[in-house]
Amino acid sequence: MSALHATCGRQFGTTAAAAAYSSRGSGRTALAARPQESWSFGPAAKAPRPPATALRVQAAAAADQQQQQEQQQRARTVPTRRLSSQEAIEALYASQHTAQRKTYAAFYSSELGGIVTDPALMVVQIDDHMLHRGHAVFDTALLVDGHLYQLDQHLERLLTSAARAAIPLPSGLSVEQMKRTILETAAASCKLNGRVRFWLSAGRGGFGLSGSECLDSTFYCVVYTHEKPEEELDDYLQGWRVKTSPVPIKAPFFAGLKSTNYLPNALNLMDAEAEGFDQGIFVDADGNVAEGPNMNLACLLEDGTLVVPPFDSCLAGITIQRMMQLLPSAIEGGMEGVRRVEQRPISVAEAQAAKEVFFVGSTLPVMSVVQWNEKLVGDGTVGIVALQVRVMLQNDAKPRDGSDQHIEVPYGYLTGMPAQTE
């Protein structure tokens, strides 16, 4: 039984556990955890021993009293407030968490018809099918030194996903206008580095199942920053420990569609964390490696072949595709340890026996796997090829003259900030 299943069993298996949780939530010690009071009928040396029947009656009465107290605690409620518009707005501000205030920099909503930079106002309506049906697609581009990296590639994948999910563009929003909106939202953030995530949703209109009830598609874009804690800055030199995930992989059609349904991905990671691993790895029905929770995988064999699983049962990652584009010239230029790149199925056993295994994704960009289940990968240390590929991708993300991978953010239009190429 996986740690995820065991955890769920512990959390939801008994009424007693729920009662203990309720007691903790009220700020009182759970009744079940209190020590039993000793019997007292006078001086200890002369106290007569109660008959066994009396003891059973008293124990039953005590249990009934405890049960009644627990039921009373569970039954305690408070009135639900009915908020005025002003109170609701005040609650939006009061409920902001630290990361929201610190890292959410700008937000565009086609429902609002513009950009806001106040994190409390970065909201989506509850009847948007993105929320209650998961009928939406998204993508994320990196903001690097005032430029969006590979925006065109991410937009193309967004539109491909939207077409497969039967989500049209919102009325009056062309692809070029969408691209301009993303760039101007990045400009409004006044951030030179961060991440830009954007969504296309079936839209608003009710709580039905079909998107046919939606009045129009919706488009959202947010710019946010992400600073790693100091203790995680050198993770790439330590590598990750992974396990084969028991969570069923998505069907091929949905695996290649970047939708907002990331429940399997979340469960994959939570299961791994519950057992002390860093990530889980999805495996397809044939026992072949697919991908991690939100990154692709590459395996370096002993003969120097770098194997990338096909995109039949996983997402076609923008970053790993860029890696495969850059590697031939890097190998020709003398990259150490790798001779060729192949995209083909690879079994779990073959992957575990590889010289190196590493994840590839836009926010990593590369992270070595040093242990898979209970087996070390290679010698259990970060490999030289992973480190070289990491540097290669980091250098490619840096803006440079004549790059077809970067688009400059027009800061001056909304902020008065100077162009970053001047």
Side-chain angles (χ1 to χ4, degrees), residues 91-170:
L92 284 176
Y93 281 93
S95 65
Q96 293 181 91
H97 53 80
T98 301
Q100 180 180 358
R101 293 190 185 97
K102 184 178 179 182
T103 66
Y104 301 178
F107 173 72
Y108 170 84
S109 164
S110 60
E111 287 294 290
L112 296 176
I115 301 167
V116 295
T117 56
D118 187 336
L121 302 179
M122 299 179 184
V123 296
V124 176
Q125 296 281 3
I126 191 63
D127 67 339
D128 194 306
H129 277 227
M130 178 169 76
L131 293 182
H132 66 85
R133 295 299 178 190
H135 194 171
V137 296
F138 76 101
D139 225 296
T140 308
L142 293 181
L143 176 60
V144 183
D145 295 339
H147 295 71
L148 285 180
Y149 176 57
Q150 294 193 300
L151 176 60
D152 288 334
Q153 292 89 328
H154 286 284
L155 262 179
E156 182 180 352
R157 185 171 64 178
L158 177 82
L159 295 172
T160 300
S161 294
R164 296 177 69 183
I167 301 174
L169 291 180

Side-chain angles (χ1 to χ4, degrees), residues 29 31 39 212 242:
T29 304
L31 293 174
W39 296 101
S212 61
V242 306

Side-chain angles (χ1 to χ4, degrees), residues 350-386:
E350 186 181 11
Q352 287 181 313
K355 186 176 182 179
E356 291 186 37
V357 176
F358 51 88
F359 289 114
V360 180
S362 60
T363 59
L364 290 174
V366 171
M367 180 67 72
S368 287
V369 172
V370 297
Q371 181 180 329
W372 193 326
N373 295 336
E374 302 306 319
K375 179 180 174 59
L376 294 180
V377 175
D379 62 3
T381 62
V382 173
I384 186 65
V385 171

Side-chain angles (χ1 to χ4, degrees), residues 24-66:
R24 289 197 300 273
S26 66
R28 301 185 179 187
T29 304
L31 293 174
R34 295 179 182 174
Q36 294 292 331
E37 296 179 358
S38 59
W39 296 101
S40 178
F41 294 94
K46 299 180 181 180
R49 181 180 179 84
T53 302
L55 287 174
R56 287 196 295 270
V57 171
Q58 292 175 11
D64 288 342
Q65 183 180 9
Q66 176 177 324

Side-chain angles (χ1 to χ4, degrees), residues 139-213:
D139 225 296
T140 308
L142 293 181
L143 176 60
V144 183
D145 295 339
H147 295 71
L148 285 180
Y149 176 57
Q150 294 193 300
L151 176 60
D152 288 334
Q153 292 89 328
H154 286 284
L155 262 179
E156 182 180 352
R157 185 171 64 178
L158 177 82
L159 295 172
T160 300
S161 294
R164 296 177 69 183
I167 301 174
L169 291 180
S171 301
L173 188 68
S174 65
V175 174
E176 284 304 313
Q177 181 62 50
M178 185 185 302
K179 183 175 178 179
R180 176 174 178 171
T181 298
I182 292 171
L183 286 164
E184 291 178 350
T185 305
S189 76
C190 296
K191 301 295 182 183
L192 296 179
N193 295 279
R195 301 172 187 177
V196 182
R197 181 165 296 175
F198 32 91
W199 296 261
L200 273 173
S201 167
R204 300 177 57 201
F207 297 99
L209 180 61
S210 173
S212 61
E213 75 170 4

Side-chain angles (χ1 to χ4, degrees), residues 286-345:
D286 297 322
N288 293 319
V289 174
E291 61 182 346
N294 61 344
M295 69 283 285
N296 294 104
L297 200 71
C299 304
L300 180 71
L301 307 184
E302 289 290 344
D303 67 355
T305 302
L306 187 66
V307 178
V308 175
F311 300 139
D312 299 334
S313 57
C314 67
L315 189 68
I318 302 297
T319 305
I320 202 163
Q321 290 183 72
R322 183 60 175 166
M323 180 197 78
M324 290 189 288
Q325 292 173 355
L326 295 173
L327 272 177
S329 60
I331 293 170
E332 186 177 343
M335 178 177 280
E336 182 181 347
V338 57
R339 298 176 58 188
R340 67 183 70 85
V341 182
E342 291 182 2
Q343 190 167 28
R344 64 167 175 81

